[in-house]
Amino acid sequence: VDADGKAWITGQTCSWDKEDTPEYDGFPVLNACQAEDGDDYDAFVTVLDSSGGLVYSTYLGGKYEDYGTDIAVDDNGDVYVTGTVFSFDFPIKNAFMEQNPSYYFSTFVTKIDPTKSGDESLIYSTYLGGEYDDESGSIAVDKDGCAYVTGKAKLGFSTTANAIQSEYQGGGDVYVTKLSADGSSLVYSTYLGDTLSNSGRDIVVDDSCCAYVSGSGLQATPGALNNPGSSFLCKLNPSGTGFVYTANVFIDNLAVDKNGNVFGARMGAYGKGGALMAFNHDGSDTLFYHEIVVGPMDLALDADTNLYIIGSTDSTGLATENAYQKGLAGQRDAFVMKIHVEPPEMLIVKVKSDPIYNTSVPVTNTLLDIYSIDLSNKANPLVFRESMTTDGKGLLHLPAKRYETGSPIFIR
């Protein structure tokens, strides 16, 4: 959704509408760069105004199976779409890669101006991939109109000089690619991953043109969160030649605020529940982590740090507020959730074992009792406040609203 309330949608359709088949209504098209289907499953791009009226809608595909996986919009209202393509006659214009490089699936990236119609609305459209299967995952766009894409790549995917990882490791690697604003060249492109099967799940970009990527197959950089496994959240530098940080955390969908704090969601096993989370600007700490009874599938963050989450659930335990539908109507329903998630100002307390009698090491993942100290009550100076658990680094996060800086506390 853009600032004017327009909705931008992509996906896949097998609906078709030709002049010689009036009995079929087909997929609704308006001002389309491709007014007819490509004979099989096609991607589509549709723009709706704030009241749901059709502004622009087009097929996007060739003779074989093609589908859109993600969509983004820039400040000018131009739309950027990525997806996976099997067709050899996919609509191509001003392309970095004019021919499908594979006899398998490849990625496509397309930019459209929905204020124009027909071929004029297609700004650029390009293949992206190597000689084997490549899959699109997610797309983002920066303030300069450059598109960033991630997904899963195999042998022969295009990388650039000074790439973080120029060689394919096997099993399927994450790729991160930044295209020029006109779509005709790569600004940077790199593999990321180990020898196992890896893929890029989501990508967002901040005002400094740093890309944030979630996926699997990397290990944490020094100082960043380092949980078991190879699922990661990484931040690339603006040139795409190195990491600002890589944290080992299990996260799928991403959003980033103006301070570089990352908000995320992940789906639980078998679609059962999930979690919402946030990490600080350098990936070294968790701002919050909440398990939820519903399965988040995507999220977005607005300028007022309201988080919007969509997904599906079969749970009857979802607490509703101002709900259009207050209860589960079928075996599994969609849900929409809005939460204000501005990270609170925190006081950070580092908890270590007794440095006199024991080795001074962090007390990690431990439930502790916190007391205020009432110096006027010498007989019983400890006043219980609450119990909290330290994180994996031995840190307690105390809300600044409840704890005044400099006030003495006792922890045990």
Side-chain angles (χ1 to χ4, degrees):
V1 178
D2 67 12
D4 298 323
K6 294 188 184 74
W8 310 74
I9 309 162
T10 191
Q12 185 183 58
T13 179
C14 62
S15 296
W16 49 283
D17 189 14
K18 291 182 169 59
E19 293 182 359
D20 59 348
T21 56
E23 67 273 19
Y24 292 98
D25 290 334
F27 191 82
V29 295
L30 182 65
N31 302 324
C33 66
Q34 181 183 330
E36 293 189 354
D37 69 284
D39 286 336
D40 202 338
Y41 289 91
D42 290 339
F44 70 86
V45 178
T46 299
V47 183
L48 303 176
D49 64 25
S50 59
S51 61
L54 196 63
V55 175
Y56 181 92
S57 190
T58 185
Y59 291 105
L60 202 60
K63 183 177 180 180
Y64 300 113
E65 183 177 0
D66 312 307
Y67 56 93
T69 58
D70 200 15
I71 194 167
V73 59
D74 66 18
D75 292 338
N76 297 320
D78 293 331
V79 60
Y80 301 73
V81 184
T82 190
T84 301
V85 55
F86 188 47
S87 296
F88 296 91
D89 56 346
F90 191 86
I92 295 298
K93 185 178 181 180
N94 301 323
F96 159 70
M97 186 176 289
E98 295 184 346
Q99 295 182 339
N100 192 337
S102 169
Y103 286 101
Y104 304 91
F105 287 103
S106 299
T107 292
F108 74 83
V109 183
T110 300
K111 179 178 179 179
I112 291 173
D113 180 353
T115 65
K116 298 179 180 178
S117 63
D119 185 65
E120 285 189 31
S121 66
L122 187 62
I123 299 175
Y124 73 72
S125 189
T126 185
Y127 290 106
L128 187 65
E131 56 196 89
Y132 295 103
D133 273 343
D134 302 305
E135 301 170 9
S136 173
S138 180
I139 191 168
V141 59
D142 68 16
K143 59 184 179 180
D144 300 319
C146 295
Y148 300 68
V149 288
T150 191
K152 183 174 185 176
K154 292 189 176 177
L155 189 66
F157 194 87
S158 297
T159 59
T160 51
N162 301 316
I164 297 173
Q165 180 183 316
S166 59
E167 298 294 330
Y168 177 58
Q169 298 299 302
D173 286 356
V174 177
Y175 70 84
V176 181
T177 299
K178 178 180 178 179
L179 286 162
S180 61
D182 63 5
S184 64
S185 62
L186 302 182
V187 178
Y188 67 74
S189 188
T190 185
Y191 287 111
L192 298 176
D194 54 26
T195 57
L196 302 178
S197 178
N198 307 300
S199 62
R201 300 183 187 124
D202 201 6
I203 189 167
V204 294
V205 61
D206 65 19
D207 290 339
S208 300
C209 299
C210 292
Y212 301 72
V213 182
S214 63
S216 58
L218 292 179
Q219 297 302 311
T221 51
L225 286 167
N226 189 8
N227 295 314
S230 66
S231 291
F232 69 80
L233 162 66
C234 72
K235 178 180 179 180
L236 276 63
N237 63 27
S239 64
T241 57
F243 296 115
V244 177
Y245 68 79
T246 300
N248 282 134
V249 293
F250 186 27
I251 186 170
D252 293 326
N253 307 109
L254 304 176
V256 61
D257 70 11
K258 62 184 178 180
N259 299 314
N261 298 314
V262 177
F263 299 82
R266 68 169 179 83
M267 179 80 75
Y270 308 108
K272 299 291 186 180
L276 301 176
M277 62 205 75
F279 305 99
N280 66 349
H281 70 282
D282 61 3
S284 64
D285 206 359
T286 305
L287 298 177
F288 65 75
Y289 180 91
H290 302 299
E291 293 189 351
I292 53 178
V293 297
V294 291
M297 299 176 69
D298 204 358
L299 80 167
L301 185 73
D302 68 17
D304 297 320
T305 60
N306 295 305
L307 196 62
Y308 302 80
I309 307 106
I310 62 168
S312 65
T313 183
D314 60 3
S315 173
T316 58
L318 175 64
T320 59
E321 183 75 19
N322 302 318
Y324 171 77
Q325 178 183 322
K326 295 184 178 181
L328 194 69
Q331 291 186 345
R332 191 169 191 89
D333 288 354
F335 75 87
V336 181
M337 184 184 298
K338 177 182 178 181
I339 306 174
H340 185 65
V341 291
E342 184 174 7
E345 185 178 355
M346 306 294 284
L347 301 177
I348 308 300
V349 178
K350 184 179 292 186
V351 183
K352 291 189 175 184
S353 58
D354 190 329
I356 298 177
Y357 299 103
N358 300 290
T359 303
S360 181
V361 296
V363 179
T364 62
N365 303 312
T366 302
L367 183 65
L368 300 171
D369 293 332
I370 304 171
Y371 299 81
S372 298
I373 301 176
D374 182 2
L375 297 178
S376 65
N377 186 352
K378 295 183 179 180
N380 190 17
L382 299 183
V383 180
F384 177 76
R385 297 287 298 274
E386 60 185 316
S387 297
M388 295 184 71
T389 301
T390 57
D391 66 14
K393 293 187 174 183
L395 303 178
L396 279 176
H397 302 261
L398 307 182
K401 291 182 178 179
R402 300 205 300 266
Y403 293 89
E404 183 180 348
T405 304
S407 299
I409 60 173
F410 180 77
I411 301 171
R412 68 180 178 186

